[in-house]
Amino acid sequence: MAIKVAVAGASGYAGGEFLRLLLGHPALESGEMEIGTLAAGSNAGQPLVEHHPHLLPLAERVLVETSADTLAGHDVVVLGLPHGHSSEIAEQLGPDVLVVDLGADFRLSDASDWEAYYGSAHAGTWPYGLPELPGAREALRSTRRIAVPGCFPTGASIALFPAVAAGLVDASGVTIVSVTGASGAGKSAKVPMLASEVMGSAKAYGVTTHRHAPEITQNLRAVTAAPVSVSFTPVLAPMARGILTTAVAPTTATAGELRRVYAEAFDHEPFVHVLPEGVQPMTASVLGSNAVQLGIEVDERAGRAVFTAAIDNLAKGTAGGAIQSMNLALGLPETAGLSTVGLAP
Amino acid sequence: MAIKVAVAGASGYAGGEFLRLLLGHPALESGEMEIGTLAAGSNAGQPLVEHHPHLLPLAERVLVETSADTLAGHDVVVLGLPHGHSSEIAEQLGPDVLVVDLGADFRLSDASDWEAYYGSAHAGTWPYGLPELPGAREALRSTRRIAVPGCFPTGASIALFPAVAAGLVDASGVTIVSVTGASGAGKSAKVPMLASEVMGSAKAYGVTTHRHAPEITQNLRAVTAAPVSVSFTPVLAPMARGILTTAVAPTTATAGELRRVYAEAFDHEPFVHVLPEGVQPMTASVLGSNAVQLGIEVDERAGRAVFTAAIDNLAKGTAGGAIQSMNLALGLPETAGLSTVGLAP
Amino acid sequence: MAIKVAVAGASGYAGGEFLRLLLGHPALESGEMEIGTLAAGSNAGQPLVEHHPHLLPLAERVLVETSADTLAGHDVVVLGLPHGHSSEIAEQLGPDVLVVDLGADFRLSDASDWEAYYGSAHAGTWPYGLPELPGAREALRSTRRIAVPGCFPTGASIALFPAVAAGLVDASGVTIVSVTGASGAGKSAKVPMLASEVMGSAKAYGVTTHRHAPEITQNLRAVTAAPVSVSFTPVLAPMARGILTTAVAPTTATAGELRRVYAEAFDHEPFVHVLPEGVQPMTASVLGSNAVQLGIEVDERAGRAVFTAAIDNLAKGTAGGAIQSMNLALGLPETAGLSTVGLAP
Amino acid sequence: MAIKVAVAGASGYAGGEFLRLLLGHPALESGEMEIGTLAAGSNAGQPLVEHHPHLLPLAERVLVETSADTLAGHDVVVLGLPHGHSSEIAEQLGPDVLVVDLGADFRLSDASDWEAYYGSAHAGTWPYGLPELPGAREALRSTRRIAVPGCFPTGASIALFPAVAAGLVDASGVTIVSVTGASGAGKSAKVPMLASEVMGSAKAYGVTTHRHAPEITQNLRAVTAAPVSVSFTPVLAPMARGILTTAVAPTTATAGELRRVYAEAFDHEPFVHVLPEGVQPMTASVLGSNAVQLGIEVDERAGRAVFTAAIDNLAKGTAGGAIQSMNLALGLPETAGLSTVGLAP
């Protein structure tokens, strides 16, 4: 019997990207997997294609309401819901259903962090869907619950954890600035996200308060006993997709020393590619793909290591990471349906 | 007799922007000033309007060769030349001519910095065209030579110097990431600057090696005896103009303490506007203008101050700053021909 | 006593652009004019600068409610209201007040056209604020009521009327496709106008039903007794401002013949610039300005004349055209506060 | 033995896109097909990944010179060469090699058209790689030579031919305006294609002289005996990929009549999707895919049919169309390696 996958929040960007990738998944083509319920909130009752005219093979599908009923009878349920809504639904889905939460509800392990940044009660912690982190892949293989990482933590954590784990940078002085496309803000209509506001302009936002800061910190603390302190600033740039993260930390290591620990960490990773010295990643190279392209440089004058990471926020940063983790949990090849080839130019 | 202004490098972006602003200068409208020679390199002999179809009032002008001859007989000569070419021309222009160098040749005071970053012999140091820096305005009033600052140092220096001067941040741990539009790369044809390469993508460049790093460091060292160490990374984003600088430094100060020193530094500055707490600048707000919009926040968890600055790289960051400094040197009102009103959306 | 100007709809794009241009108007600088009430709809009570952070000189202003009371006591009232709301307000303003309507209410002279395209009762017809049209300038000099043209009709009418008036094209076979920036859709939050939807994409809209079609037709019918039939299609492109209109019509005339009638029509117009043969206008050249740049070519194989026009939809296409007409009605120099210099690149 | 595919012009946009699609082709994954020589012009000797950092699976490949020698021994040779260079290479490749020309050399059947628009001797005519045209699919099944259509003719021909073939529009009065992304101009460094020139601007080019005009005309003439006359204007918009074609022609037919002939023409086509009445295609929906999305409307007032078509110029408009045709010629499933799912947002 085919693995049946439901998507809640199917009319949003994250849900749409999950479906886009799923349509190219070999298990779908072979009939091992099938797309079941596509649910939405206020868009329920409308054809999916009105919201995602790029998903022609699903042109006949209609969005239904999001409820335990409409999501029942599936092997995999993907939740692309506003923060705070996944817990209630997940509880009703039964322990054998693989629940993949694209939202933040189960990412943070520290309840006080959750409360400080999200202002509600902490729902719990699920295995974290970033297989590249030490220990994460194993935890994902046997889970029925996956907390997909935030888009910024995906790039920033991969860019930094090998150096932090090896003690080659001072983790108490990490500064991260991430340039992001507009799709990270989701598909809800807001004046500051109008095309005329975003095009031709750059703007920092969530300065000192962004909810992804504690998530990055948590990921780095997991690999070191040393103190970790992260300053994180996202900057909105005029592009639909992509995150270019620049992560800077004090170091006395050489570029060669850093490159050795990154090679060890990523040489066998299918999706992480460390670029040669002097070569910088660009987000266009990873658009639509699950690839992470990394640059590593050392500024000897300033005593700082500068790591740069390019990802597609919707793909590796959300729906691609979700599929990678889902594959692991389902016992499918980890790379199935995912690519390292970006859409450029 | 009218003040006669020549522009060398008139077919480039910096030269074009200088002309755009000059066309709105009240001294030009009143006849006190006039536009003389417009010179270029390989574009000499061509109509200016082929290169700047937005400059309709100069549609009849033809570009001439750049030489001491064509630039002779002017009261002001603006040089928008490739680095390393200003010195020879300037020497031939006579001490009474006001020479405004849009290039880097005379910005750095440390010859070894110059040689390390530019790889040629140091030409010297001229008064620095950033009137907002302590002491700079006075030096500009009596000079016949102006070194216009680099675009990144303009925003970064204004964002940081009050805190550094007041000792409210640890200047030995400054990290700067500046998101810039494509016009900063100039108007020469290069594949990486093609529209198809830049649109939809973000990319860091000049990582650990950018020539504006020593200039920023020099500006901060001028206001403090404490150690200064700056990590600077520019990121190219898909927009034509604008720089959004994020500058982060360790601090134990409160936002209120920082805001007080910034108010003192800038309350009487015509072009620098400190935004209220929680409000972030966007580059669209300053396009075409000479305004600097600043955000100031303190991340208490991380012990870091986060300064953000929006400027137009071609205006305040190059040609606008040049006009502001030229006004001072000519005894004209400092704000003549300049605006704090940006072109948005 | 200064001329007092009120703006209703001041938080929108059209209102903001009117204020941006007004801030550079010499009558404001000289004290002959002053900015009075700034009114809004649901944004009343908020600081203007929250909506227009680029208008720093108005940073202290607060938006008030839109009513006959708040707009009373002004010499000029500019209405940037949703269609259908200008009539009621205008009636209460008294015949001596100069009312400049940025909306559509008084543009169409044919009531059945109005009803067919706008679906409400026809409010009437006011002098049309496109001084370049035959007879329009004279009518504007003595009016207290101005209907500012739609953005598309501004470019399309200027591109076509001289050829139509001279009988050099077959006006019964006109096809117009206009590529427009996103600001034409206004500042209301709608999913299809989100940055992620617009960037990287082009889309036609209002195909066969756009409300500017009858307005273009009306303008052409005013200059010819021959039959006029216009097909008009707007295409949304990923840019904030600008309209590039391509207007095609059957012709047996030569390019030379066409150029002669365009020279006659526009040689003395301060804002219309006909480009030389083989040169095409680009919208960047006119951004922020009141300029219209025109291209004229004849396709002899196809027997078609191809006219192209670049304007800034918010400037010459709305607020710039409004100021030009206001200047005429107030007896000020027609070009005061307006420029032919665009912001490029 | 595997089918061996060589690509000449591999460092350009068309060559890169062909490789991007080939990397997802099932015959490559199954081992039935392999990628052989990757050749370039002045970039020979350089790693492919320097030019296409998005093609990570080919990161080890080095570009070789383009010659009959380096291209020998392949079953398929794809030519992405400047116009006029394919003929000489093709002659040396032997009649059993499948030669797929992405260039224009063999598209036009009329030698005088070729000479008028390309200014050189006509090389000949090959089967035309647009399987959706009447008769084209059959011709492609048995050929060893394929002339891949131009990007504009792909969208325009599909948008128009059913109506022209059915006599439902007046083909002597066709007007086409196509809004295109910048990648259509190729990857050579030219000032007008710099990011700063293209972003924030729209501009028509090749007005009345574009080389794709006779190709569109030829395609329409092939389906009707009635006179055909086409006016074609391309407009460059600030996006990397995508063409939105608006094609307008006089009609007395109803929308229903037109929709019937389009349904007949395309209901069984895997890549052409006619949208419901009132729905317009957007280029984002087809990015990276081989899909053509079509809108059909009738403007009864103007007596005109308005057809709109969205394609990806590099995919269906070049490399995707090439793979579709290659599949036919090789006896593979026509849709292998191609998708109707676009990358949006």
Side-chain angles (χ1 to χ4, degrees), chain D residues 26-81:
Chain D
L28 202 83
E29 291 170 30
S30 69
E32 280 175 277
M33 192 178 273
E34 63 180 49
I35 300 177
T37 289
L38 301 179
S42 58
N43 296 323
Q46 299 171 18
L48 178 79
V49 80
E50 272 187 27
H51 299 277
H52 298 307
H54 61 301
L55 301 180
L56 285 185
L58 298 173
E60 308 301 314
R61 293 300 193 90
V62 173
L63 294 160
V64 301
E65 290 197 7
T66 305
S67 71
D69 275 3
T70 60
L71 298 174
H74 292 80
D75 304 289
V76 180
V77 175
V78 179
L79 300 177
L81 305 176

Side-chain angles (χ1 to χ4, degrees), chain B residues 210-281:
Chain B
H210 198 280
R211 290 164 165 182
H212 287 179
E215 194 179 331
I216 298 169
T217 303
Q218 167 177 301
N219 291 345
L220 298 183
R221 284 198 176 132
V223 299
T224 185
V228 174
S229 171
V230 172
S231 163
F232 171 61
T233 305
V235 176
L236 176 64
M239 53 195 196
R241 290 179 177 232
I243 294 176
L244 193 286
T245 287
T246 302
V248 182
T251 193
T252 54
T254 63
E257 289 169 321
L258 287 167
R259 286 182 171 274
R260 272 190 291 281
V261 305
Y262 278 72
E264 207 172 306
F266 297 131
D267 269 4
H268 299 286
E269 284 295 341
F271 295 116
V272 184
H273 185 76
V274 179
L275 297 166
E277 210 174 328
V279 179
Q280 284 294 316

Side-chain angles (χ1 to χ4, degrees), chain B residues 13 51 181-184 186-191 193-199 237-240, chain D residues 13 51 181-184 186-191 193-199 237-240:
Chain B
Y13 287 142
H51 299 277
S183 58
K187 208 174 179 172
S188 59
K190 286 174 279 192
V191 167
M193 298 310 297
L194 286 177
S196 298
E197 300 294 308
V198 171
M199 291 188 294
M239 53 195 196
Chain D
Y13 287 142
H51 299 277
S183 59
K187 208 175 177 171
S188 58
K190 286 174 279 191
V191 166
M193 298 310 297
L194 286 176
S196 298
E197 300 295 308
V198 171
M199 292 187 294
M239 53 195 198

